[in-house]
Amino acid sequence: MQKINVLGALFMLALMVQCKEDKKSVDKVEGSAPISEVAESVVDTTPILIEKPENIKAPDGMVWIPGGEFTQGAVPQDKMAMDHEKPAHKVKVNGFFMDVTEVTNAQFAKFVKETGYVTVAERAIDWEEMKTQVPEGTPKPHDSILQPGSLTFKKTKTSVPNLYDFSQWWNWTIGANWKQPNGPGSSIKGKDNEPVVQVAYEDALAYCQWAGRRLPTEAEWERAARGNKTESIYFWGDDDSILSQMANTWEGEFPVTNVKADGFEQRAKVKTYPPNDFGLYDMAGNVWEWTSDWYNTNYYNELGALNGPVVNPQGAATAYNPNMPYAKEKVMRGGSFLCNASYCASYRISSRMASSLDSSLEHLGFRTVATVDMLTEE
């Protein structure tokens, strides 16, 4: 493993080891995993909201996602599907409004200007808080390392034999934040229409509160991403030969060479690629997107064991990941410009990964949703 500083190693805990197709499936790990209490999402026949009420207008920049029943999780023909995307299970969700695009730099900048908000990546690091998320006895890094920053990507010079050693292409970079997403010297000037990144979960929630919105649940996100392609691998169907026309991903040898068949090596402007059936852009590739669900490796198994569709599931009640026992992680969806077929192909609809609450990355952003009830209250 390439040498990285201690703080970088700590933040590596937030990276998605579940991208690895473990021989012993994390869904089958023995031990005292906490119950995720899916009973909170009851199976019943309660009518759900499908069509948009006539008296409710779509907020600017949002579209209506009709409610309905769908199958969440990996489709049978998806050869890249991972164990934590299985088993597929029936879900019913109410209709809701969703942002047409990820939240952009311009939108986030307006929020910061009006509120004075300081993101997690810009704040002083609290070692007392951080050490609760790492193994007991982990030594405190030197104060020169405990400085505000975040994780940034770097290409390798040669082929990487182990694609599950993430430290080979991620760096802890002091000074990296939403305004300098690739580290000191980088800038978002002239990139108003690119998705904002280096946003921790807390930052996304703060934006939602300001905007009168919330983050989507994982089930809502997948309902929106699938559109009318209820049995497809990708939002456009099953044809991966047109990937470069449909999404911003890594094409070439990862993480050495990106041939940029899709036109980009890093983030692309929103609306660069075609929308899905519901008029949503970038539901595959570009940047990952936060959801409100805790990541729990038992959750899909528990949903699959229920006899009937789960109505408006809110996710697991507790976080649990045997690979990241000290981290409290939320599910993120959609894949990014770093996703490659060689190890996870996370531009697939059912792809899911997780990140710890305080982690921000240069390929992770978010989009918001609004329900009819929220708009009525407004």
Side-chain angles (χ1 to χ4, degrees):
M1 177 183 289
Q2 155 180 346
K3 183 178 179 181
I4 57 174
N5 62 50
V6 176
L7 186 60
L10 301 183
F11 274 83
M12 283 302 166
L13 290 176
L15 295 180
M16 286 52 71
V17 297
Q18 61 265 40
C19 187
K20 180 177 181 179
E21 181 69 321
D22 194 277
K23 299 293 185 183
K24 289 178 62 179
S25 174
V26 294
D27 291 336
K28 301 174 184 176
V29 173
E30 298 178 356
S32 56
I35 301 299
S36 68
E37 301 174 15
V38 298
E40 290 187 355
S41 302
V42 295
V43 176
D44 63 21
T45 57
T46 302
I48 60 170
L49 178 63
I50 297 177
E51 300 298 330
K52 181 179 73 67
E54 293 183 1
N55 63 326
I56 299 293
K57 181 182 177 181
D60 290 344
M62 304 187 92
V63 294
W64 176 253
I65 308 301
E69 180 177 319
F70 71 101
T71 301
Q72 181 178 8
V75 295
Q77 71 272 26
D78 186 355
K79 303 305 182 184
M80 290 293 292
M82 299 177 188
D83 287 330
H84 67 169
E85 301 170 32
K86 304 173 185 177
H89 46 275
K90 295 293 184 180
V91 170
K92 294 169 71 175
V93 295
N94 284 326
F96 58 96
F97 294 98
M98 180 176 251
D99 289 337
V100 171
T101 72
E102 301 106 335
V103 173
T104 63
N105 286 322
Q107 291 171 313
F108 199 79
K110 181 180 179 182
F111 154 65
V112 170
K113 182 178 180 180
E114 292 187 8
T115 63
Y117 183 80
V118 178
T119 63
V120 171
E122 298 173 278
R123 302 175 198 166
I125 293 174
D126 183 350
W127 170 244
E128 293 303 313
E129 170 63 24
M130 179 176 289
K131 71 181 182 182
T132 65
Q133 303 177 43
V134 297
E136 186 176 353
T138 298
K140 177 184 177 182
H142 192 273
D143 288 343
S144 63
I145 296 174
L146 284 174
Q147 300 295 321
S150 192
L151 286 163
T152 60
F153 171 80
K154 63 180 179 67
K155 291 193 291 186
T156 60
K157 295 181 179 179
T158 58
S159 298
V160 174
N162 178 11
L163 286 174
Y164 305 110
D165 176 4
F166 298 107
S167 68
Q168 296 171 105
W169 57 83
W170 284 107
N171 272 345
W172 170 251
T173 304
I174 293 173
N177 55 56
W178 74 277
K179 292 178 289 188
Q180 300 182 122
N182 303 104
S186 63
S187 172
I188 59 172
K189 186 176 181 180
K191 300 178 180 179
D192 283 354
N193 291 325
E194 288 187 10
V196 66
V197 292
Q198 299 293 15
V199 174
Y201 188 76
E202 179 181 331
D203 305 329
L205 291 186
Y207 178 94
C208 286
Q209 183 176 11
W210 169 78
R213 304 288 182 260
R214 66 168 170 80
L215 293 175
T217 65
E218 184 180 14
E220 288 172 336
W221 194 97
E222 184 162 331
R223 165 63 176 164
R226 285 202 173 278
N228 299 320
K229 305 294 192 301
T230 56
E231 300 296 330
S232 297
I233 298 173
Y234 313 107
F235 78 78
W236 60 88
D238 288 346
D239 184 3
D240 61 2
S241 70
I242 59 172
L243 174 63
S244 62
Q245 302 169 41
M246 307 303 290
N248 180 15
T249 66
W250 186 288
E251 295 182 291
E253 182 185 359
F254 184 86
V256 184
T257 305
N258 187 339
V259 299
K260 297 185 284 188
D262 51 39
F264 295 88
E265 186 157 35
Q266 296 181 329
R267 296 165 295 278
K269 290 182 180 179
V270 298
K271 296 187 177 182
T272 295
Y273 302 91
N276 76 349
D277 294 334
F278 291 152
L280 300 168
Y281 294 84
D282 289 335
M283 298 303 279
N286 215 15
V287 301
W288 285 99
E289 301 176 15
W290 287 110
T291 74
S292 60
D293 287 24
W294 288 113
Y295 178 74
N296 187 309
T297 55
N298 298 321
Y299 184 56
Y300 271 30
N301 279 332
E302 292 176 9
L303 288 180
L306 298 177
N307 184 26
V310 182
V311 180
N312 294 319
Q314 302 299 300
T318 54
Y320 176 70
N321 182 352
N323 291 313
M324 301 288 192
Y326 298 95
K328 300 298 183 184
E329 299 172 304
K330 291 284 186 176
V331 175
M332 59 186 200
R333 287 299 210 111
S336 80
F337 62 90
L338 294 178
C339 289
N340 182 262
S342 63
Y343 68 104
C344 67
S346 289
Y347 36 81
R348 296 171 296 107
I349 297 174
S350 65
S351 297
R352 57 199 301 262
M353 288 178 135
S355 189
S356 61
L357 298 178
D358 56 357
S359 292
S360 49
L361 302 131
E362 71 165 87
H363 70 336
L364 172 57
F366 68 106
R367 77 177 72 209
T368 73
V369 300
T371 63
V372 169
D373 288 343
M374 292 169 66
L375 297 177
T376 302
E377 290 173 3
E378 286 182 4

